[in-house]
Amino acid sequence: MIVRPRNESPPHPPTRQQRQSGGARLAQVDALRGFALLGILMVNITYIASAYHGTGLEDPGLGGPVSEAVRWLVAVLFEAKFFLLFSFLFGYSFTLQIDSAERRGARFTPRFLRRLTGLFVIGVVHAVVLFPGDILTLYAVLGLILLALRRIRPRTAVRIAVALLAVTAVAYALLALAAGHAGGDGTISPSTAAAAAQATEALRGGPASVIGAHLEELPDVAFLLVFFQAPSALAAFLLGLAAGRRRALADTDRHQRLLRRLQWVGFTVGLPGAIVYADASLNHPESAYQLFAMGLDVITAPLLAAAYAATVLRLTHGRRGQIVVTALAPAGRMSLTNYLGQSLVCALLFTGFGAALVGRVPPIGVAAIALTLFAVQTAASRWWLRHHAYGPLEWLLRAWTTLSIPPWHPQPGKRSTQP
């Protein structure tokens, strides 16, 4: 899958020609990160816009064929896929940060630990104030494991990742069998509808009411993060680590055949798995079938995410590749600022922090808001990076990570390797 060098050691320092083309390569990674950011927004906004999302119940007054079709499309094409792509890029960028620190003679471990601490603090504030489904806290915790495993061989990292996904899928299959024997038929408890209605009213209240609703939701979210997203995210971290050690994204022109193969396998296997997952989540919640579908998704979602990534990378090398890079890379360079900015805008639109539109916008309107918001973010990111070296939150996090004052304005010929 990844071109194998003669030994398992890290790659040699880049040549002058490689350094000159490094900015273009990083731009492709940033474009991929920007694309992942769009997918994450398409999922997160559905949870912010409706307290019923994820319960298997339709939000009262927001049903109908169009709403149902949009819910299906989001569940099939976006849910449980894009956080994997983002996690892969976290692992890949981790190797770039190591190499950057070693070239400068800096101590990597203390800096990375400060970076994880910063991400964790930002994530906690994000989860409590804006959106309980925060991923930064999970990344901060899993980053400790990634740091401990940073010296493992790429092949070993891939094997551990595959084993993690396989064990998680088998665990879900066993839970599905147990639920089937226990007679789990997927009937939704009346308390679920009552809790969703209560959460909707709380989210329409004042700031204290909104934060209270988030705090009440956090235990359920933490359970989901630990038992569903964490194993898959760690596996994606390790796959990114292996790819980064091999510099798999450094010259994708050489891997066009591999990218085509990833598209073929990923879409052929991943889309049917995504359809099963969507059907179980939307039509058979809290059932043995849903547990089975979640286990299937653990295996098939990474393939679909890989197909998405391969498609974007091929587009960046096509006739209009520069257009794709120009459109997506600036948002990817400011991924932390844009990720939190998305939650802030959505909170102002859908909760009592602002317009309190939760439960009042149909899914087609929610999707339109997401696409519009991302388009604005791409334009704003492009403008910002013409005048600044980093996004606002990227600058703050880098200052904490390095315990120094980073440059505020761009410096010719310099480009950060930090995501």
Side-chain angles (χ1 to χ4, degrees):
M1 184 172 182
I2 299 173
V3 177
R4 186 173 183 268
R6 295 180 179 274
N7 54 56
E8 298 285 359
S9 61
H12 295 293
T15 64
R16 179 180 179 183
Q17 182 179 3
Q18 289 173 328
R19 286 194 298 270
Q20 289 173 341
S21 62
R25 295 170 180 176
L26 285 172
Q28 293 163 15
V29 175
D30 287 334
L32 197 55
R33 189 178 291 111
F35 176 68
L37 196 65
L38 169 61
I40 289 172
L41 172 60
M42 291 294 294
V43 175
N44 286 354
I45 195 172
T46 59
Y47 287 92
I48 299 174
S50 174
Y52 287 80
H53 189 77
T55 65
L57 296 169
E58 285 189 353
D59 206 322
L62 299 181
V66 174
S67 293
E68 184 67 17
V70 173
R71 289 190 184 98
W72 263 88
L73 286 174
V74 172
V76 170
L77 300 177
F78 294 95
E79 282 192 17
K81 285 81 180 176
F82 282 84
F83 86 91
L84 293 171
L85 181 52
F86 214 82
S87 301
F88 171 87
L89 293 170
F90 187 96
Y92 189 92
S93 297
F94 174 78
T95 65
L96 302 183
Q97 294 169 43
I98 291 177
D99 289 348
S100 176
E102 290 178 348
R103 285 196 302 269
R104 298 193 310 269
R107 297 179 61 193
F108 174 74
T109 298
R111 290 189 174 203
F112 191 68
L113 288 174
R114 285 195 295 271
R115 182 174 179 81
L116 294 182
T117 302
L119 285 177
F120 187 84
V121 172
I122 294 172
V124 169
V125 175
H126 178 227
V128 172
V129 179
L130 297 178
F131 177 50
D134 169 76
I135 198 71
L136 299 178
T137 50
L138 179 65
Y139 278 17
V141 174
L142 294 181
L144 296 173
I145 301 177
L146 188 64
L147 181 64
L149 298 177
R150 67 188 183 279
R151 299 300 181 190
I152 65 173
R153 295 178 176 181
R155 182 175 296 182
T156 304
V158 172
R159 288 174 176 170
I160 295 174
V162 172
L164 271 172
L165 295 174
V167 168
T168 304
V170 169
Y172 274 110
L174 294 175
L175 287 174
L177 286 174
H181 286 304
D185 58 0
T187 301
I188 301 175
S189 169
S191 62
T192 301
Q198 183 179 1
T200 299
E201 290 305 313
L203 290 169
R204 290 175 181 169
S209 178
V210 173
I211 292 175
H214 291 167
L215 290 173
E216 188 170 344
E217 191 179 351
L218 277 178
D220 292 337
V221 173
F223 181 86
L224 177 66
L225 288 175
V226 170
F227 292 100
F228 180 66
Q229 287 191 319
S232 296
L234 181 57
F237 275 14
L238 292 171
L239 292 174
L241 173 68
R245 294 281 294 276
R246 301 294 198 198
R247 293 298 180 266
L249 303 182
D251 189 4
T252 52
D253 280 337
R254 297 174 54 193
H255 306 310
Q256 291 299 305
R257 180 180 297 180
L258 171 62
L259 295 177
R260 287 194 294 270
R261 189 175 301 168
L262 284 175
Q263 286 178 297
W264 190 88
V265 174
F267 286 125
T268 302
V269 179
L271 280 175
I275 291 172
V276 172
Y277 167 83
D279 177 57
S281 299
L282 296 174
N283 300 326
H284 306 277
E286 301 181 15
S287 66
Y289 172 44
Q290 186 188 23
L291 288 170
F292 167 79
M294 291 176 72
L296 179 65
D297 189 70
V298 167
I299 298 299
T300 59
L303 296 174
L304 187 53
Y308 287 159
T311 301
V312 172
L313 290 173
R314 291 193 67 196
L315 287 174
T316 62
H317 286 274
R319 289 181 300 175
R320 299 174 179 170
Q322 189 56 45
I323 297 176
V324 176
V325 171
T326 301
L328 295 175
R333 280 187 62 187
M334 293 175 53
S335 57
L336 179 60
T337 295
N338 285 322
Y339 172 66
L340 294 173
Q342 290 169 357
S343 295
L344 176 61
V345 172
C346 289
L348 292 174
L349 285 173
F350 294 105
T351 74
F353 286 124
L357 295 177
V358 60
R360 291 170 173 155
V361 181
I364 186 68
V366 172
I369 290 172
L371 293 174
T372 302
L373 173 56
F374 185 74
V376 171
Q377 285 189 314
T378 57
S381 298
R382 192 157 49 247
W383 174 85
W384 179 273
L385 291 172
R386 289 197 193 105
H387 307 283
H388 304 85
Y390 307 95
L393 290 178
E394 285 77 11
W395 187 90
L396 287 173
L397 183 60
R398 185 174 179 83
W400 166 246
T401 299
T402 62
L403 297 181
S404 63
I405 304 299
W408 183 244
H409 298 289
Q411 292 181 303
K414 291 196 175 183
R415 170 71 166 82
S416 171
T417 58
Q418 292 199 25

